[in-house]
Structures are given as structure tokens and as C-alpha cells.
Amino acid sequence: MGNVIQNQYTPDYVSPPGETLEEILEERDMSQAELAERTGRPRKTISEIINAKAAITPETALQLERVLGIPASFWNNRERHYREALARKEEQERLSKQVEWLNQLPVKDMVKKRWIQFYQDKVEQLREVLNFFGVASPDQLQMVLSGTNVYFRKSPKSPSDKNAVAAWLRRGEIEADEIKCTPYNANKFKEALQQVRALTVEPPEIFQSEVVRLCAVAGVAVVFVPELPKTQVCGATRWLSPDKALIQLSLRYKTDDHLWFAFFHESGHILKHGKRELFLEFKESQLDKEEKEADTFAADLLIPPTEFKRFLASGKQRSKDGIRQFALEIGIAPGIVVGRLQHDGILPPSHCNELKCKLR
């Protein structure tokens, strides 16, 4: 569906309803003056309708029905279709001057992921992109983006493309719309997080649908949206409404430790921070207060601090068997323990990675 090449034919000329009226008058050998007299409309009005300088109003349509015997609905529909066609023609001309804007967007990648359809005609492609974003024009999209409150941690090494990030975020909104959620309840969400934590030992074919289901019951939509090139984003959190939150994950690093930390980090934003902000997470980011709080929330929920201290005191943190045993005791995937040890500098980044689960 995403790679289908389509073209739509838009006629260059739109026939005004006045032409139809003029043809009917000629067939009936009725002059404009006679029609004006019979309908009670000024001659000037009849002339302007025929010459496409005035519209056929519902009142005039009823008068034409009485005089000509042609239903008012015919004239009303004829006028409506004509005005709509004129508006589309004007839009065509306006959009034709804005097609260069497509070069700023990851259109090819969006088509490849089947987020949008491909059109050879540039104007039709622009319409498709605008439909995807749910805006009327490129100007409206820029206004929407500039009006968003964004709290993010951004890597100085790998700057992201704001338009690619916008497309990724929008895809998350579209997928979240399909998830039916009950109104948000913080206590239910906390309960769901404990159940999700236990799912970290399960394979994706089990945990993915369960995570979505458990969180939806608490008013949180969870979507897994593969990243676009140049987004550099790990996850995002925002509120779609006062009663529905969204957690969006990219699986950027494709290992279970990154996935689960990102999920619980975003969950921390939902429980601890405001409903008006959009939080974007990038790797190697500079942390502000909110990000540090979300990091601490995720780290402590996955591995309780007292348990982690006990594990470190045991001296088994550099042993694969020791890591497996500790993970089993606290009920999480061993890859999460490896990720924590690497993050804290206890294990080198190259050690024990075989304990992590690869995801795709």
C-alpha cells in the first residue's frame, strides 16, 4: 500500500451552474428578463449568476424550482460542487508553490515504512503529507511545532532533524488513536508498572501486547514506532488529553536493557511531571531536573536500591552466573542488570553483552 504510485485527475476548467441555467433558458426560449420577472429577482442578479459573478442562493434555488420545475436540490448541489471545485483549484495553485517544502521532510522513509502513500505528482504528495500531519498547509505545521512545549535531552554528537522527529511523533499519535484506553488513573498505572516489570523476562511476542493492554487499562497508550533516520530519539512521553497519556518507544538500540529503561523512564514522566509538556529522550543527553528524576524512577523501579547494594556487596557483579542469579532473585531480565552495571561503570561496555536480549 505504501509504495503504490497514484495520480489524481483534476480538471483545469470548472463549469459554473450559470452555464447550465443559460442552456436551459435557451432550450425553453426564455429570456433572462422573463426569468427575472417570474422569479422576482433583479435582472442584474440573473445576469451575474449566468456569468458566474454571483452564487445561486438556497432562496434562488427554490425560485428556480418553481419557475423551471427543476428541484432546488439540483441547483444547490450544482452551486456547492462548483464552489468546492473552485476552492480545490485555488488550493492546487497555492500548494504548487509550496512543493519544495517536501525536500525538508523524510518523505521517502515515510513511504518506505508505509506511513504514507507515494504520488508522482508533487502537489498530491504534498496533500498526502499534510493529511498525515493533520494540518491544512506547511505554515500550519510550523505553527503547531513551534507551539509545542518540549523538554528533551539532546546529544551534541548526533543532532537530530526536527522534521524527522515531528513525523515520528505524529506516527505515534496516529497509532495511539487506535488504542482504546480507560481514563488515566495513577494508582492503576503504578500497579500496571509492577506487572510490566515482571514481563521483562518474556520474549517480545508475549510482552509487547501485554504491555499495551496493561497500560491501556490505566489510561496510558504504549506504541512501538521504529525510528526514522536522523531522529536519534529513544522515546517520548506526552498527554493526548487530560485522561490519556502516550508512551512512544523507538527500539533505537535494539536490546532489552535500553527498551525497558526507556519505558520506565517515560513512565516516570507520566507519574511525576506535568501534563502539558512533551518529553523527548535522546541518547547522550544533558540532563535537567525532570530527566534526572525520570532516570532515578526507572533505575530504582527496575532494581531496588537496597537489592542493588546487596548485590554489589556480594562481589558477584562481574560474574555472568552471579548476574543471572541476581536477576532471577529480583525477577527481571539479566540484560537489564548488565545495562545498569555498564551505566554505572562497574562493567566495561564490552562485557556480558551476551546476557542482553536482542530485539527488532
Side-chain angles (χ1 to χ4, degrees):
M1 182 176 177
N3 295 314
V4 174
I5 299 175
Q6 296 193 9
N7 284 298
Q8 293 185 1
Y9 171 71
T10 303
D12 294 330
Y13 174 74
V14 182
S15 171
E19 285 191 5
T20 303
L21 178 59
E22 185 176 32
E23 291 172 358
I24 292 173
L25 292 180
E26 290 178 355
E27 291 175 359
R28 301 188 181 188
D29 197 22
M30 182 184 295
S31 67
Q32 294 183 26
E34 183 180 352
L35 178 63
E37 184 177 350
R38 287 176 177 272
T39 58
R41 309 300 291 174
R43 293 185 182 183
K44 181 181 179 182
T45 298
I46 299 300
S47 175
E48 288 178 344
I49 289 175
I50 288 176
N51 290 287
K53 294 181 180 180
I56 297 178
T57 65
E59 181 184 5
T60 302
L62 285 172
Q63 293 165 346
L64 292 176
E65 178 181 274
R66 297 288 178 269
V67 175
L68 302 175
I70 299 174
S73 59
F74 169 83
W75 297 109
N76 287 326
N77 288 333
R78 188 74 172 80
E79 183 67 40
R80 179 173 57 82
H81 291 152
Y82 173 64
R83 296 300 165 182
E84 181 181 326
L86 283 183
R88 290 189 179 279
K89 188 171 184 293
E90 292 173 0
E91 181 191 60
Q92 178 84 9
E93 294 172 355
R94 174 174 55 82
L95 293 181
S96 66
K97 300 175 182 178
Q98 298 176 308
V99 293
E100 293 300 319
W101 177 70
L102 290 172
N103 297 329
Q104 301 177 32
L105 295 167
V107 174
K108 290 183 179 179
D109 293 301
M110 293 165 69
V111 170
K112 185 177 180 180
K113 292 183 181 298
R114 300 190 177 185
W115 294 0
I116 59 174
Q117 294 186 12
F118 171 70
Y119 292 87
Q120 287 183 326
D121 183 272
K122 292 294 185 182
V123 173
E124 290 303 323
Q125 189 67 75
L126 179 54
R127 283 199 182 97
E128 175 75 354
V129 171
L130 293 175
N131 289 339
F132 172 83
F133 281 106
V135 294
S137 75
D139 293 335
Q140 269 68 56
L141 178 59
Q142 295 305 319
M143 290 180 64
V144 170
L145 296 180
S146 63
T148 302
N149 293 322
V150 181
Y151 279 71
F152 63 90
R153 44 186 193 172
K154 187 172 182 179
S155 170
K157 296 181 180 179
S158 305
S160 61
D161 181 282
K162 66 177 183 179
N163 291 317
V165 172
W168 182 78
L169 289 172
R170 175 57 179 162
R171 180 62 185 182
E173 292 177 357
I174 292 171
E175 293 191 13
D177 282 342
E178 299 177 1
I179 300 176
K180 303 301 181 183
C181 294
T182 59
Y184 174 72
N185 182 292
N187 290 329
K188 287 185 178 180
F189 187 49
K190 291 175 183 177
E191 293 174 3
L193 292 182
Q194 292 300 325
Q195 294 174 284
V196 171
R197 182 182 181 278
L199 290 171
T200 63
V201 300
E202 301 291 348
E205 53 267 25
I206 293 178
F207 76 66
Q208 183 171 351
S209 60
E210 274 298 284
V211 168
V212 174
R213 183 187 67 80
L214 289 169
C215 292
V217 173
V220 179
V222 178
V223 296
F224 300 85
V225 181
E227 65 170 341
L228 289 170
K230 299 181 181 181
T231 56
Q232 311 293 335
V233 66
C234 303
T237 306
R238 58 207 184 276
W239 289 82
L240 302 178
S241 73
D243 291 325
K244 184 176 182 179
L246 167 61
I247 291 178
Q248 184 171 340
L249 303 170
S250 71
L251 292 177
R252 173 169 169 73
Y253 292 97
K254 299 179 176 62
T255 57
D256 58 349
D257 60 320
H258 283 107
L259 168 67
W260 291 118
F261 188 84
F263 169 79
F264 286 104
H265 175 99
E266 304 304 339
S267 300
H269 281 312
I270 291 175
L271 288 170
K272 291 180 170 293
H273 304 132
K275 294 186 176 182
R276 301 183 65 182
E277 291 85 9
L278 160 63
F279 292 92
L280 284 173
E281 322 300 345
F282 298 84
K283 189 62 176 172
E284 300 174 357
S285 304
Q286 297 179 351
L287 302 185
D288 58 18
K289 177 184 176 183
E290 288 85 357
E291 296 303 329
K292 290 178 181 177
E293 289 177 347
D295 273 356
T296 300
F297 175 85
D300 291 350
L301 193 150
L302 285 167
I303 306 178
T306 55
E307 296 292 342
F308 193 54
K309 289 179 182 179
R310 178 180 62 81
F311 175 55
L312 296 181
S314 72
K316 298 179 180 180
Q317 63 270 26
R318 292 179 176 83
S319 161
K320 293 178 185 177
D321 288 338
I323 292 172
R324 289 192 187 96
Q325 181 60 35
F326 175 64
L328 181 63
E329 290 174 359
I330 65 173
I332 63 171
I336 297 174
V337 180
V338 174
R340 174 67 181 274
L341 293 171
Q342 291 175 343
H343 178 270
D344 290 359
I346 298 170
L347 278 182
S350 59
H351 285 211
C352 300
N353 286 319
E354 57 268 34
L355 295 182
K356 297 181 181 182
C357 178
K358 301 292 184 182
L359 304 172
R360 63 181 177 86

